[in-house]
Amino acid sequence: MQYFDMGALPLRNGVNLGVLLADLLQCKSDRLRKKFTHAKLYAHVFERTTGKPPDVAALDRFERAFIQSVGEEQSKEVAWNVRRQWMQYFCAYCEDVGQVCRK
């Protein structure tokens, strides 16, 4: 959430944090609202404020820790879904900045 709030992720402006998390986690937004009632996830809207890239190694560690936390049976499916969603968001960002994204 820190990088999201800093505007330092390769995302289009206007992406809603709750929608992003629901996509990455492959769950309905209502489920996130129930789990994170005080976080106000849907009040956070991405706005790029820096050209400085995030700490990619740290993001990778966070992603790996999350995937490991879901258990061995689901980890491959979760990893595939998370990476697929990131690719879609990244390609949308590339389109915004005039770059070609090859999927």
Side-chain angles (χ1 to χ4, degrees):
M1 194 160 147
Q2 173 188 3
Y3 292 120
F4 187 93
D5 287 338
M6 286 175 24
L9 292 172
L11 296 171
R12 281 183 159 165
N13 287 332
V15 171
N16 182 286
L17 180 59
V19 173
L20 173 67
L21 291 175
D23 285 347
L24 291 174
L25 300 173
Q26 295 289 295
C27 69
K28 294 184 180 185
S29 58
D30 290 343
R31 186 170 183 196
L32 284 177
R33 280 190 182 100
K34 288 178 189 175
K35 297 279 184 185
F36 300 101
T37 54
H38 300 293
K40 298 183 182 175
L41 298 176
Y42 293 89
H44 294 267
V45 177
F46 185 78
E47 191 68 37
R48 189 170 345 288
T49 58
T50 178
K52 181 182 173 189
D55 180 353
V56 176
L59 290 175
D60 187 55
R61 283 192 307 273
F62 295 144
E63 181 181 295
R64 288 176 192 268
F66 167 71
I67 290 168
Q68 288 176 346
S69 75
V70 298
E72 195 172 324
E73 282 185 31
Q74 293 179 311
S75 64
K76 287 182 183 178
E77 182 181 350
V78 169
W80 185 85
N81 283 324
V82 166
R83 291 186 182 115
R84 181 176 60 89
Q85 289 298 328
W86 268 121
M87 183 58 121
Q88 288 178 343
Y89 277 99
F90 180 71
C91 285
Y93 165 75
C94 288
E95 184 180 299
D96 280 359
V97 296
Q99 297 295 315
V100 175
C101 179
R102 294 194 177 115
K103 294 180 183 179

